[in-house]
Amino acid sequence: MFAYIVRRLLYAIPILIGVNLLTFTLFFVVNSPDDMAASQLGDKYVTPEAIENWKQKNGYDKPLFLNPDVAGLARLTDTIFFDKSVRLFAFDFGRSESGRDITTDVASRMWPSLAVALPTFLVGIGVNICVALMVVMFHGTRLDRGAVFLFVALMSISYLFYIIGGQFLVAKTWRLVPISGFHAEGQVWKFLILPVLVGVVAGIGAGARWYRTLFLEEANQDYVRTARAKGCSELTILFRHILPNALIPILTGVVVLIPSLFMGSLLIESFFGIPGLGSYMLDAINSQDFAIVRSMVFIGSILYILGLLLTDISYTWADPRVRLS
Amino acid sequence: MNAPKQQQTAGSICMRVSDLTVVLAESGEPIVKGVSFELRAGHIFALVGESGSGKSVTSLAAMRLLPDALKISAGSVDVEGADLFALSEARMQEIRGRKVAMIFQNAMSALNPVQTVGNQVAETLKLHTPLRGAALRNRVIQLFTEVGIPDPDQRFGFFPHQLSGGQQQRVMIAMALACEPDVLIADEPTTALDVTIQLQVLNLIRELTRTRQLAVLLITHDMGVVRNTADEVAVMYRGELIERASVDQFFHDPQQAYSRKLIDALPDLEHFRAAAAEEPLLVLKDVKVHFPIRKGLLQRTVDYTRAVDGVSLAIGRGETFALVGESGSGKSTLGRAILNLEEIAGGEILFRGEPIQGIGRSAMLPYRKQIQVIFQNPFSSMNPRMTVGDIIAEGMISLGLALTEDARNARIHELLARVQLGAEHARRYPHEFSGGQLQRIAIARALAVDPELIICDEPTSALDVSIRAEVLELLAELQREFGVSYLFITHDLSIVPTLAHKVGVMQLGKLMEQGTAEQILTAPQHPYTQALLAAVPRLED
Amino acid sequence: MKPVVLWSDALIYLLVIALAFFFYRLRKDPQTRERWAEVFSSRLGMVAFTVIAAYIMVALLDSLHFRRALENPEGVAVEEVFYDNKVTSVFDLLTGGMGERFERTYSAPFALISFEKENLKDAAGKDIRDYPPLRHAGQHLADPSQRGADVLGKTFTALFWGLLLSALLIGPQWLLLRRSRYPWHASWLTQGSIICSGVWMVSLSRYYHILGTDLGGTDVLYQSLKGIRTGVLLGTLATLIMLPIAVTLGVMAGYFKGWVDDVVQYLYTTLSSIPGILLIAASVLLFQVYIDLNPDFFAVGMEKADAKFIALCFILGVTSWSTLCRLIRAETLKISQLGYVQAAHAFGVSHTRILARHVLPNVVHIILITFVLEFSALVLAEAVLSYIGVGVDPSMGSWGNMINGARSELSREPAVWWTLTGAFFFMFALVLAANLFSDLVRDAFDPRTSLRRVEA
């Protein structure tokens, strides 16, 4: 088990290097720092001097991979690649193009993101499982078919409409909670209810439908017939036999998302004005702040790899048949 | 529960199935047509038939466990004077497991994979008895002991996958017997097991029938199992009971032609094939196939699974060599190694005196014409998206035979006719054929390139008994006609006498014993061969 | 008139031809036919398919572009013909100039007056603040109070023509297919209602703005209709770009195993570990920078928008192949263990031939299921991307752009609901039809589900 985890962590290194190379290529080779300067400065102010100034200010005035002007190891370290990419491995994200320290920003914005994403995630799974179980109990009836159609219809509505509709109904028409905003002190929950609610409702269609399929898949297994032959009631079969088995794919399917909860949700956060990492990314995209985008790509990759590892570990915990080696 | 239960008197009727009819819910097409029989205490009633004959549906209907697509349209099942079909679902749940219990074919999938076996048996007891806590556990352990599970106290906390196939089936039996039911329905309880284990499980069921005065409904397709275990037999064919008799009477004087056919499929251990020519075609010298076991941080190869561990044998021209062994013995791996589909760790493979092990893809091509293969599962060995004609033509094209299209088509028609199929079948797709027909097409495909050796990897084990005989007969005919040699890989010793000149018995990658079919089947030397042979059903005990 | 062929126009027609060819080839395979028959033997499948087909038809008509010849100014006779800088499509013609009737700003559906007050002069020439009348709505009415009756009357006329047109179009189908075992009547009913509502929309839009106008005064119904092409094209082209990458890599990894497998696995793990939205956003922004710095490449504004659109399809395709690749790799691994591939090896069939004849045809169902599933996902993604600001060009009509422009309209007093409603309805109908259809396709083609049905 321990050896397995260590091996998986070692395997993460080439992947992170790959991610880094890819983003570096995207940001510095496809578009040279000159191009970036030109577009940041705007058409009117593009002069060679202005570009040089901008590059110097933002630390893009070095060669990409190899610096022939200096000696020794500095040939490799005194380059854009080292400054902008290799340093990420030490979690040194540097400064954004507007001059703010990215590490501090990330550390402080992580928590509001989590405050929205975690309840959404947990409540969502709970609600989806309950809804799916109810539907499965009526399997084969009209209710079941109607519910499946409803799930598909819910899935077909854009996430944006859930947010806009939720804000319009709950906050504007019924005036139950504030439309948006976030205050760390006092009544945080007031600001969290609506985003969480919207997140959960938006996920019901796809989630409940998926869980329903998983439950039905298990319901077709031989051991369910055995349980029936023993004299178990249908409810006992559903809760004591089908549910524990279906939890394995459910668990392993959602565990991969847990670390990424820190990243928050782009849409929810921007609509509800929550100062988390999601809105941070959106702002960075809108202001074309590539330093932030690059850092967030790196963090996102790490969290995803962590999620994969957690998935494997959760397998051994949920399924007695699986042993990691 | 510990109070002695009122014993059923031997021979009293415990379950009476009358005029049972099951139809497809949608189309109303009948699957089981008016079947009647009764189960008596202390008796084993065997229901025999091939796949699709409706025997499993009959048993599921008796328990009211039919899938949604099937419906009981008429008949009754009486247990202690009550008609099971008239009961409410809640009452029925009290009957299941309590009065009538059931065991299934594949114990591995029939047990809940995430619950310990002890808890699964305990669940039945909890449902029907007031036993709880330590008493409950003790009772489960007692049951485990009764069905012969070693170390029952420790095994209580095991998950199904930690037990062997035989032990899993024993757990199923313990679960079924937990509440001391009157009736036990066993649906192919030994089909998924190796022959030696099969015998142990059947003996257990027979013993429990006597000691507990159980009424057993044994569903099987295997006439050997019937012969060795049952008291009474009923043959089911296309949803109907066509013959019913006591075992002795049935085997000595079957009334129906179909029954006759089933009995004829039993091995004849008296007549053997004389050894063929001694000129060796294929010689294996100390062949080894190893699969690496990787461990640790860097996934270094620390050891090998020795799938084939030094096998030497020789197959003569026009001769059949039967390679017998249980699952996991390495016999199929050996077959694949000869075909150069598996890398060899050591030894030599000589075909007509020339070494062919480890040669490249293109160097192997000339030998591909001479060594062909027929696989176990006819349904997966044909590409579902190609016509039968294309399937047979594939080898001819890639190996450069019959270059013109006309010549190729003529050859395909000739081959199809040889395996008793029509020329019009060439344009059809595999899913339109039955298993037996597909296996004949597989034979035609192998013959298309005029091979000298065909490796038959369990070609009949996916087929029903009556069809099995036809395919084996076809293979024997082709051998007489074309002088082709067979390496016949099988787990079933009983088909060997009609088929093989020589026999090799494989266990754990090693060839335990080899010799002529007569030697091996009449005077086996190795204890493993003896055990295998003991499990073979015979007509005359 | 001078035809204009945009890159996306060419690609979508190419795609249609390729698909037609693909199905023509498949027609021989009985299993595939059986499964399609299963999809189409359900009424729901027929309806969903008809709706999707209608959307695709609109998208195709909207992909036939041309530039109008400008009339020579009065009295000037020149040999040379000048063309309008604006690119029009055949679909624009069919809508009867719905997109050319602009108002000053917002107006509600079927309204006769603007939504906002303006400084006007009354009959006496005094300055007053009131709702000005619309330029293109209710001009034919003598009195605003006749509006209800007028709308009703025109609806009946439109319905009459609609039914007549439906009869003309459905009649021949009925003659050909009436004995078919498929529930064509469900499709005909859907076709009829689509045709009728189409005729109704076009004929009423001459007199009213059926769905009102937006902030810039553009007809909302027209915008919603223009969103169809964007949605359909994005949904198909992006998948089309992703397919060859995913299939090639997946099949190679599953068949050759060893180091090929390691490399492919590494590639897709790396790619999928990057948060998708960031990768897409970054790529789109970088392309944007490229366009901004090289403005001379594109003759008309539309071509620039089109280049951006193709780039978006490309980016979505290149960043999303990992899921399909994983599925195909797993399936190929399974297939290479099967008897028929083993038998092919035993016959010395070459790798290329095994891949082409045995492996590829047997993973087609996965490709198909993914294609249909991805379609609706991409249509939904377009809205989100446009909202974030990395979607299609604002000059190109799309539902995402409509939502993005109208995101705060509901919080106005009174709320402006029609833009969002228009985008919602047209998008929902397409995505719902696609989702329902993909469910049926998956049920029919996924061996796991079809197996279950056989056993039951």
Side-chain angles (χ1 to χ4, degrees):
Chain A
M1 181 79 172
F2 177 74
Y4 178 83
I5 293 174
V6 171
R7 201 173 69 242
R8 282 300 295 264
L9 289 176
L10 287 179
Y11 184 60
I13 294 174
I15 291 178
L16 285 177
I17 292 177
V19 169
N20 241 325
L21 276 176
L22 186 75
T23 39
F24 185 80
T25 321
L26 214 57
F27 287 109
F28 295 103
V29 182
V30 175
N31 267 59
S32 66
D34 287 343
D35 293 341
M36 255 190 320
S39 83
Q40 284 274 321
L41 290 168
D43 287 341
K44 284 182 194 159
Y45 307 99
V46 178
T47 58
E49 295 85 58
I51 287 179
E52 279 311 311
N53 274 336
W54 186 89
K55 276 164 68 181
Q56 197 162 9
K57 198 181 92 199
N58 291 288
Y60 293 126
D61 53 344
K62 294 171 187 170
L64 284 181
F65 290 104
L66 200 68
N67 192 344
D69 300 335
V70 285
L73 204 58
R75 263 174 190 255
L76 284 175
T77 57
D78 203 17
T79 57
I80 295 183
F81 181 68
F82 187 82
D83 271 357
K84 303 291 175 191
S85 275
V86 180
R87 276 178 197 278
L88 290 178
F89 283 101
F91 292 94
D92 174 5
F93 299 124
R95 294 188 168 275
S96 71
E97 261 133 50
S98 56
R100 291 173 59 90
D101 185 43
I102 297 179
T103 316
T104 341
D105 276 353
V106 169
S108 67
R109 280 171 162 266
M110 195 160 86
W111 304 111
S113 277
L114 202 61
V116 179
L118 192 64
T120 312
F121 176 75
L122 294 177
V123 176
I125 293 177
V127 169
N128 291 345
I129 290 182
C130 292
V131 173
L133 277 176
M134 277 196 289
V135 173
V136 167
M137 274 187 230
F138 294 99
H139 177 56
T141 64
R142 251 179 218 188
L143 197 79
D144 178 42
R145 281 191 293 274
V148 173
F149 186 86
L150 184 72
F151 293 155
V152 176
L154 285 176
M155 278 170 64
S156 309
I157 298 173
S158 170
Y159 206 90
L160 294 167
F161 287 115
Y162 282 104
I163 301 178
I164 295 172
Q167 281 187 329
F168 180 69
L169 278 182
V170 181
K172 195 190 164 204
T173 314
W174 300 335
R175 296 183 183 283
L176 296 178
V177 289
I179 285 188
S180 68
F182 187 82
H183 293 289
E185 296 90 32
Q187 299 171 306
V188 190
W189 60 268
K190 258 191 171 175
F191 296 99
L192 291 183
I193 284 183
L194 188 54
V196 170
L197 183 76
V198 166
V200 169
V201 173
I204 285 183
R209 195 174 74 126
W210 181 43
Y211 295 159
R212 175 184 166 274
T213 335
L214 291 179
F215 289 143
L216 288 184
E217 227 158 76
E218 289 300 326
N220 279 303
Q221 301 289 324
D222 283 354
Y223 66 82
V224 174
R225 195 177 55 184
T226 310
R228 268 195 202 112
K230 269 185 198 178
C232 289
S233 69
E234 288 301 310
L235 270 186
T236 321
I237 291 173
L238 190 57
F239 283 94
R240 286 193 44 102
H241 292 278
I242 296 181
L243 190 60
N245 276 288
L247 275 180
I248 298 171
I250 292 180
L251 191 76
T252 45
V254 297
V255 159
V256 71
L257 302 173
I258 293 178
S260 308
L261 293 178
F262 283 98
M263 300 279 282
S265 154
L266 233 58
L267 295 179
I268 291 267
E269 288 183 14
S270 85
F271 265 101
F272 290 100
I274 290 158
L277 286 180
S279 51
Y280 190 55
M281 284 188 274
L282 191 67
D283 294 343
I285 292 171
N286 284 333
S287 60
Q288 311 208 352
D289 195 328
F290 289 128
I292 296 180
V293 174
R294 230 166 30 233
S295 310
M296 293 308 292
V297 165
F298 188 72
I299 296 174
S301 310
I302 290 182
L303 292 176
Y304 177 79
I305 293 168
L306 213 60
L308 289 183
L309 183 63
L310 282 182
T311 306
D312 284 352
I313 296 173
S314 71
Y315 251 122
T316 59
W317 179 71
D319 189 341
R321 287 165 293 186
V322 177
R323 283 274 160 276
L324 299 180
S325 62
Chain B
M1 242 3 259
N2 290 334
K5 197 180 146 189
Q6 196 199 334
Q7 283 283 328
Q8 297 281 341
T9 39
S12 68
I13 293 175
C14 295
M15 178 190 263
R16 185 194 297 276
V17 176
S18 334
D19 200 27
L20 176 69
T21 304
V22 179
V23 296
L24 279 178
E26 255 179 50
S27 59
E29 186 193 327
I31 300 296
V32 174
K33 303 166 193 163
V35 166
S36 307
F37 57 86
E38 55 282 329
L39 304 179
R40 292 168 193 277
H43 268 63
I44 297 180
F45 181 86
L47 197 55
V48 196
E50 303 188 335
S51 53
S53 60
K55 56 191 195 305
S56 287
V57 172
T58 306
S59 67
L60 289 172
M63 289 282 269
R64 282 176 49 186
L65 287 174
L66 286 177
D68 294 340
L70 298 175
K71 205 175 73 190
I72 298 163
S73 68
S76 65
V77 173
D78 286 309
V79 173
E80 288 183 348
D83 180 5
L84 295 189
F85 294 167
L87 296 179
S88 70
E89 181 59 29
R91 279 280 298 131
M92 191 63 212
Q93 279 162 9
E94 285 168 31
I95 302 277
R96 290 190 199 122
R98 178 81 187 80
K99 296 275 178 213
V100 188
M102 196 160 180
I103 52 180
F104 297 99
Q105 174 171 357
N106 192 343
M108 179 68 196
S109 67
L111 290 169
N112 186 339
V114 300
Q115 214 176 10
T116 63
V117 290
N119 280 335
Q120 294 189 51
V121 177
E123 189 182 18
T124 320
L125 287 165
K126 267 199 213 162
L127 282 167
H128 302 292
T129 69
L131 283 178
R132 294 295 179 270
L136 182 68
R137 190 187 162 92
N138 287 337
R139 174 81 183 117
V140 173
I141 290 167
Q142 192 191 335
L143 281 163
F144 278 2
T145 319
E146 194 180 346
V147 298
I149 293 174
D151 259 338
D153 201 31
Q154 203 195 340
R155 294 282 193 286
F156 186 95
F158 274 31
F159 289 99
H161 73 277
Q162 292 166 301
L163 301 177
S164 70
Q167 284 177 355
Q168 287 168 357
Q169 199 53 282
R170 283 168 198 269
V171 171
M172 283 296 293
I173 296 173
M175 197 189 309
L177 297 181
C179 299
E180 316 204 352
D182 303 328
V183 179
L184 176 70
I185 298 176
D187 187 357
E188 305 257 10
T190 55
T191 309
L193 302 176
D194 280 330
V195 267
T196 45
I197 314 286
Q198 203 167 335
L199 191 68
Q200 295 168 11
V201 171
L202 285 173
N203 284 339
L204 174 67
I205 291 177
R206 199 159 48 178
E207 192 188 309
L208 290 166
T209 312
R210 305 284 178 256
T211 54
R212 290 193 168 209
Q213 284 300 309
L214 277 170
V216 178
L217 173 60
L218 178 72
I219 290 161
T220 183
H221 67 276
D222 190 338
M223 294 312 288
V225 169
V226 176
R227 176 77 195 143
N228 294 343
T229 322
D231 299 303
E232 203 181 346
V233 195
V235 179
M236 230 175 146
Y237 183 68
R238 297 195 176 163
E240 280 175 281
L241 273 192
I242 55 166
E243 183 168 358
R244 197 178 145 181
S246 74
V247 166
D248 280 336
Q249 200 192 344
F250 178 78
F251 280 93
H252 285 108
D253 185 21
Q255 300 299 310
Q256 299 279 337
Y258 180 74
S259 310
R260 177 86 254 163
K261 209 165 157 190
L262 290 178
I263 295 171
D264 284 348
L266 281 177
D268 167 8
L269 290 182
E270 283 160 15
H271 304 92
F272 298 99
R273 298 181 72 177
E278 273 307 299
E279 184 197 353
L281 182 67
L282 178 83
V283 177
L284 306 188
K285 286 186 187 159
D286 198 28
V287 170
K288 290 176 180 155
V289 180
H290 292 176
F291 298 117
I293 302 171
R294 296 174 199 278
K295 270 210 177 116
L297 203 58
L298 298 169
Q299 293 290 287
R300 266 181 321 193
T301 307
V302 289
D303 200 0
Y304 294 95
T305 310
R306 293 173 167 78
V308 177
D309 198 14
V311 169
S312 305
L313 56 84
I315 303 174
R317 222 175 264 280
E319 188 178 69
T320 303
F321 189 104
L323 196 58
V324 185
E326 304 193 330
S327 55
S329 62
K331 56 192 194 304
S332 291
T333 312
L334 183 65
R336 291 166 44 79
I338 297 170
L339 287 164
N340 210 347
L341 298 176
E342 207 75 70
E343 218 171 295
I344 286 174
E348 269 188 298
I349 301 175
L350 301 170
F351 188 77
R352 285 196 292 199
E354 294 159 53
I356 58 166
Q357 78 276 12
I359 60 175
R361 239 183 123 77
S362 50
M364 187 66 197
L365 274 183
Y367 296 102
R368 295 248 178 253
K369 260 178 260 186
Q370 270 127 37
I371 309 177
Q372 265 311 312
V373 62
I374 298 167
F375 291 103
Q376 170 172 7
N377 186 343
F379 297 98
S380 72
S381 70
M382 314 252 160
N383 187 341
R385 310 208 172 271
M386 281 163 75
T387 61
V388 165
D390 285 342
I391 289 171
I392 297 176
E394 183 168 46
M396 294 193 259
I397 295 171
S398 67
L399 295 174
L401 291 120
L403 286 173
T404 70
E405 204 177 326
D406 288 340
R408 211 157 50 220
N409 284 336
R411 177 98 177 106
I412 289 169
H413 292 166
E414 181 193 323
L415 285 164
L416 281 174
R418 190 62 204 82
V419 297
Q420 293 134 28
L421 290 167
E424 73 279 4
H425 290 125
R427 281 189 306 276
R428 302 237 185 109
Y429 286 82
H431 72 279
E432 298 171 60
F433 294 90
S434 70
Q437 286 175 317
L438 283 179
Q439 212 56 302
R440 279 190 255 149
I441 295 169
I443 294 172
R445 168 170 70 178
L447 284 178
V449 294
D450 280 327
E452 293 182 47
L453 171 69
I454 298 180
I455 294 172
C456 307
D457 190 353
E458 306 246 17
T460 56
S461 59
L463 304 178
D464 282 324
V465 224
S466 56
I467 296 161
R468 189 177 295 181
E470 289 168 19
V471 172
L472 290 178
E473 181 49 38
L474 177 64
L475 283 172
E477 255 175 51
L478 294 171
Q479 184 164 53
R480 284 194 291 274
E481 212 169 304
F482 301 112
V484 59
S485 310
Y486 296 127
L487 173 64
F488 201 95
I489 298 169
T490 179
H491 70 278
D492 187 357
L493 207 52
S494 64
I495 59 172
V496 166
T498 48
L499 181 89
H501 303 100
K502 284 199 269 183
V503 182
V505 178
M506 239 181 130
Q507 189 192 19
L508 301 173
K510 289 201 167 71
L511 206 54
M512 292 314 198
E513 188 172 2
Q514 60 172 318
T516 64
E518 189 164 6
Q519 272 171 4
I520 301 287
L521 292 173
T522 52
Q525 299 301 308
H526 197 275
Y528 181 68
T529 319
Q530 288 161 359
L532 279 180
L533 202 61
V536 171
R538 289 144 212 257
L539 195 49
E540 306 299 333
D541 275 297
Chain C
M1 226 161 68
K2 177 177 162 190
V4 178
V5 181
L6 299 175
W7 273 104
S8 54
D9 299 344
L11 281 176
I12 190 70
Y13 276 98
L14 205 70
L15 175 68
V16 169
I17 293 167
L19 280 182
F21 181 70
F22 174 70
F23 285 114
Y24 180 74
R25 285 291 302 274
L26 274 186
R27 124 207 92 100
K28 269 190 356 202
D29 182 8
Q31 265 188 316
T32 317
R33 278 171 63 161
E34 220 169 85
R35 286 169 181 174
W36 276 119
E38 204 183 309
V39 173
F40 284 103
S41 56
S42 88
R43 272 173 308 187
L44 195 63
M46 270 292 179
V47 173
F49 177 75
T50 313
V51 172
I52 297 172
Y55 270 87
I56 291 176
M57 196 86 91
V58 171
L60 288 179
L61 286 174
D62 206 6
S63 296
L64 292 171
H65 287 109
F66 60 88
R67 283 160 74 178
R68 279 210 184 93
L70 291 178
E71 281 167 34
N72 288 329
E74 205 68 38
V76 188
V78 260
E79 289 298 299
E80 201 184 348
V81 187
F82 291 94
Y83 294 100
D84 194 347
N85 231 5
K86 200 168 138 287
V87 179
T88 322
S89 77
V90 173
F91 180 71
D92 290 335
L93 290 184
L94 287 178
T95 59
M98 199 192 286
E100 286 156 23
R101 291 186 278 271
F102 291 96
E103 300 300 336
R104 211 181 286 279
T105 180
Y106 289 123
S107 69
F110 288 108
L112 300 176
I113 49 169
S114 179
F115 185 70
E116 279 170 3
K117 286 186 178 175
E118 274 174 41
N119 292 327
L120 296 171
K121 288 197 194 304
D122 66 0
K126 266 201 300 184
D127 282 339
I128 51 157
R129 236 184 122 64
D130 198 2
Y131 301 104
L134 295 180
R135 294 178 208 160
H136 300 286
Q139 245 62 33
H140 60 296
L141 295 178
D143 178 4
S145 62
Q146 298 166 346
R147 184 177 61 172
D150 184 58
V151 170
L152 206 65
K154 290 207 159 43
T155 302
F156 278 121
T157 326
L159 218 55
F160 170 75
W161 288 112
L163 286 173
L164 198 70
L165 188 61
S166 309
L168 278 177
L169 288 175
I170 296 170
Q173 295 183 38
W174 180 78
L175 279 177
L176 275 173
L177 301 166
R178 71 198 141 148
R179 289 192 210 292
S180 153
R181 62 195 172 99
Y182 302 109
W184 280 105
H185 54 92
S187 169
W188 294 329
L189 208 66
T190 321
Q191 288 180 33
S193 21
I194 293 173
I195 292 169
C196 285
S197 42
V199 171
W200 181 78
M201 279 179 205
V202 171
S203 61
L204 261 84
S205 69
R206 289 168 186 277
Y207 309 102
Y208 301 99
H209 295 291
I210 297 176
L211 275 175
T213 53
D214 70 354
L215 179 65
T218 324
D219 193 282
V220 170
L221 180 63
Y222 176 73
Q223 280 187 321
S224 309
L225 287 171
K226 289 299 266 188
I228 292 177
R229 174 179 184 266
T230 314
V232 171
L233 259 67
L234 190 89
T236 45
L237 290 184
T239 321
L240 195 70
I241 289 162
M242 169 256 271
L243 283 183
I245 311 174
V247 174
T248 318
L249 291 180
V251 164
M252 302 254 286
Y255 182 77
F256 290 110
K257 308 191 185 80
W259 67 268
V260 184
D261 192 21
D262 289 342
V263 170
V264 172
Q265 282 199 63
Y266 169 75
L267 279 180
Y268 71 60
T269 317
T270 305
L271 196 69
S272 54
S273 76
I274 300 176
I277 197 107
L278 282 181
L279 191 61
I280 294 165
S283 315
V284 172
L285 288 178
L286 291 170
F287 189 75
Q288 180 69 45
V289 171
Y290 176 80
I291 290 185
D292 289 348
L293 294 177
N294 302 283
D296 321 332
F297 282 16
F298 313 101
V300 217
M302 188 108 174
E303 281 180 20
K304 194 164 101 185
D306 190 62
K308 216 178 138 184
F309 178 71
I310 297 282
L312 181 68
C313 291
F314 209 83
I315 290 162
L316 283 173
V318 171
T319 50
S320 64
W321 55 268
S322 59
T323 322
L324 177 62
C325 184
R326 202 174 307 198
L327 288 175
I328 290 192
R329 173 183 166 269
E331 186 70 16
T332 310
L333 274 176
K334 215 165 67 193
I335 290 173
S336 6
Q337 296 306 317
L338 286 182
Y340 57 86
V341 175
Q342 299 288 333
H345 282 301
F347 278 117
V349 180
S350 67
H351 288 312
T352 11
R353 212 177 149 81
I354 291 181
L355 285 175
R357 303 258 294 179
H358 294 289
V359 179
L360 261 185
N362 286 295
V363 298
V364 164
H365 69 277
I366 298 184
I367 299 175
L368 189 79
I369 294 170
T370 312
F371 187 84
V372 192
L373 269 182
E374 279 285 302
F375 178 79
S376 50
L378 284 164
V379 175
L380 290 175
E382 186 271 330
V384 172
L385 290 177
S386 295
Y387 169 78
I388 292 172
V390 292
V392 300
D393 197 80
S395 72
M396 197 168 164
S398 89
W399 298 316
N401 282 333
M402 285 172 73
I403 302 170
N404 189 22
R407 60 168 109 165
S408 54
E409 284 177 359
L410 278 185
S411 48
R412 290 175 69 109
E413 278 306 335
V416 175
W417 48 269
W418 47 88
T419 320
L420 287 172
T421 311
F424 173 82
F425 176 77
F426 279 89
M427 197 165 146
F428 179 68
L430 176 61
V431 177
L432 181 65
N435 273 336
L436 290 173
F437 192 68
S438 80
D439 261 17
L440 290 169
V441 168
R442 194 178 41 189
D443 281 353
F445 282 83
D446 192 337
R448 273 205 302 180
T449 49
S450 46
L451 195 74
R452 197 186 307 149
R453 215 172 25 247
V454 170
E455 279 171 354

